[in-house]
Amino acid sequence: MWWRSASFIMDRQQNRIQNDAVSMENDDENPNSTNISAYYQTRAAHNAVVTTDWLAQSQAAAAAAAVAQTSDGEIEGGKLDVVLNSDKALSVIDVFDGWRKQPHLAEAVAAIRALASIIRSSNATTMMELEIELKKASDSLKSWDATSISLTAGCDLFLRYVTRTSALEYEDFNSAKSRLIERAEKFGEISYKARKIIAMLSQEFIFDGCTILVHGFSRVVLEILKLAAQNKKLFRVFCTEGRPDRTGLRLSNELAKLDVPVKLLIDSAVAYSMDEVNMVFVGADGVVESGGIINMMGTYQIALVAHSMNKPVYVAAESYKFARLYPLDQKDLAPALRPIDFGVPIPSKVEVERSARDYTPPQYLTLLFTDLGVLTPSVVSDELIQLYL
């Protein structure tokens, strides 16, 4: 644009070249480069429902949510955290890995739990030492998978929220540390319940007789559809196959268990089937400052088709996925590559696009369902300011 300086453009081009170089060097080194989410949308015109105190709003919604059911494999409170911290020699990665293996726990929430355990087991004697220790632990977690937007955002939000408490407010460091532990546990609890909050907020947008298109596999989208089925709503779902990971097959299997009518589509049949669709549901790997989303490859073209046919596109995303990023186009994304098997040998001279995600601009999205409330894309930047203050 006319207001960008030449140096800014040159810096951006240089960063792209460096990113491309890094991606070529690390094509097969990152085992987590295939992380993907799915999508969620609905039809309805709603104004943003936002409050400046996101914590109060999330707590209010969480209070109305069902209590965590350990019989379903979910973890209540911080019980696992206590068990993991019985051995003080465990590193933050060990604790994180223990939480990450829980089937219903998001990666970012596992990181939040792990950081909370660092505060609890720390031997620091001053707030400065504790903040340095937390920062190092956060950097370790973020480097575990540098391509994960939700992991990075979750760690950054945790540090911003927890360390707002100053030791000067208390008589001694131990009192300050206790307050930090309390805030850390509260943050972890709210993040853990975010999925249930989003599922509740979304129910009024699903109506009897509707057809919902989803792309890939997202636990928050599955939670929404599961709650709708429990509420006896009558709807059907179109699942894209989600190549090359075939995540749509996984989601269709889960929906079939709920007796929800499901139809599988090959990815290239989205435009062909869009006239039968009432709404699109998508998740997000990350929500950026513009109000757009970064998500599984193919989200952008689905949003384009839906927008051209006047079908609403709604996103379901937890607030710990709100990231301080502002991509201008697809090539501004940090490389996140994945192996692709076409089932036949590919000549060495043939280049294969292995990017795992794309960027969908805000003008193609209708609403974002978050644990902060139901937001329009234009309100996301305001919420990010509140989160990172």
Side-chain angles (χ1 to χ4, degrees):
M1 299 176 67
W2 63 268
W3 46 268
R4 298 187 190 285
S5 66
S7 60
F8 175 85
I9 296 173
M10 291 178 65
D11 289 343
R12 181 175 289 280
Q13 289 175 340
Q14 185 175 4
N15 288 337
R16 287 182 182 175
I17 293 172
Q18 291 174 349
N19 286 338
D20 291 343
V22 170
S23 66
M24 291 175 65
E25 294 174 1
N26 300 311
D27 277 357
D28 301 314
E29 293 179 4
N30 192 341
N32 305 301
S33 61
T34 60
N35 289 345
I36 47 179
S37 302
Y39 305 96
Y40 160 58
Q41 300 169 325
T42 319
R43 158 210 305 238
H46 254 245
N47 294 324
V49 182
V50 185
T51 64
T52 54
D53 189 349
W54 71 273
L55 176 60
Q57 185 177 7
S58 296
Q59 283 179 314
V67 178
Q69 299 175 358
T70 54
S71 61
D72 290 337
E74 298 182 8
I75 308 156
E76 184 178 1
K79 294 180 181 177
L80 179 60
D81 209 9
V82 174
V83 173
L84 289 172
N85 282 286
S86 61
D87 182 1
K88 296 294 182 64
L90 288 176
S91 70
V92 67
I93 298 297
D94 294 329
V95 180
F96 166 71
D97 200 48
W99 280 106
R100 187 177 61 86
K101 291 177 181 177
Q102 301 302 316
H104 297 286
L105 206 65
E107 188 177 86
V109 178
I112 289 167
R113 298 286 198 194
L115 289 173
S117 73
I118 292 297
I119 301 176
R120 196 174 295 111
S121 62
S122 173
N123 294 320
T125 57
T126 66
M127 283 295 296
M128 181 63 72
E129 289 178 5
L130 183 54
E131 287 188 19
I132 292 173
E133 192 172 342
L134 276 175
K135 182 65 167 60
K136 288 181 179 178
S138 174
D139 290 343
S140 296
L141 287 171
K142 289 190 285 188
S143 64
W144 180 84
D145 183 2
T147 69
S148 175
I149 297 172
S150 62
L151 179 61
T152 298
C155 289
D156 290 343
L157 284 170
F158 178 89
L159 292 183
R160 293 294 300 170
Y161 176 69
V162 172
T163 58
R164 285 175 183 172
T165 301
S166 171
L168 298 176
E169 301 175 25
Y170 303 93
E171 296 179 359
D172 53 41
F173 171 72
N174 289 332
S175 297
K177 183 177 178 180
S178 297
R179 178 62 173 162
L180 288 182
I181 293 173
E182 178 185 337
R183 291 173 69 85
E185 290 176 347
K186 187 176 295 184
F187 188 89
E189 180 183 359
I190 292 170
S191 300
Y192 173 69
K193 292 182 177 179
R195 201 177 297 155
K196 291 184 178 296
I197 296 168
I198 294 169
M200 289 190 301
L201 291 174
S202 66
Q203 291 308 299
E204 64 179 286
F205 295 86
I206 301 176
F207 54 88
D208 284 341
C210 69
T211 298
I212 303 168
L213 173 67
V214 297
H215 178 54
F217 184 91
S218 166
R219 284 174 290 192
V220 66
V221 171
L222 178 59
E223 188 72 28
I224 292 166
L225 299 177
K226 183 186 297 185
L227 183 57
Q230 292 171 353
N231 291 339
K232 308 300 182 182
K233 294 195 176 185
L234 303 176
F235 62 95
R236 64 173 178 163
V237 178
F238 286 1
C239 290
T240 59
E241 182 187 5
R243 287 279 298 164
D245 309 272
R246 296 188 176 182
T247 47
L249 294 176
R250 179 184 172 192
L251 182 61
S252 64
N253 290 337
E254 294 296 327
L255 292 174
K257 295 176 185 177
L258 301 172
D259 293 325
V260 174
V262 183
K263 184 177 182 180
L264 269 174
L265 308 176
I266 57 174
D267 294 336
S268 55
V270 168
Y272 175 81
S273 304
M274 189 61 74
D275 61 337
E276 300 180 59
V277 171
N278 298 113
M279 60 194 77
V280 180
F281 283 73
V282 297
D285 289 344
V287 179
V288 298
E289 292 181 76
S290 64
I293 61 169
I294 297 172
N295 201 20
M296 177 182 175
M297 182 64 73
T299 304
Y300 182 30
Q301 61 193 27
I302 290 175
L304 283 171
V305 172
H307 181 75
S308 69
M309 299 179 70
N310 296 317
K311 309 290 184 177
V313 177
Y314 296 132
V315 180
E318 302 90 331
S319 60
Y320 55 72
K321 293 181 179 178
F322 281 38
R324 301 187 75 176
L325 299 171
Y326 203 109
L328 299 178
D329 56 36
Q330 304 300 325
K331 300 304 183 291
D332 278 345
L333 300 180
L337 309 179
R338 60 184 174 191
I340 297 178
D341 182 10
F342 288 96
V344 294
I346 304 298
S348 59
K349 294 181 179 180
V350 175
E351 183 180 358
V352 176
E353 177 57 68
R354 294 192 291 155
S355 298
R357 60 197 183 198
D358 58 25
Y359 166 61
T360 304
Q363 62 265 33
Y364 303 113
L365 306 176
T366 308
L367 290 175
L368 292 93
F369 293 95
T370 78
D371 47 304
L372 308 181
V374 183
L375 312 178
T376 59
S378 61
V379 175
V380 169
S381 59
D382 294 335
E383 282 302 309
L384 271 163
I385 291 172
Q386 293 295 327
L387 289 173
Y388 282 97
L389 271 180

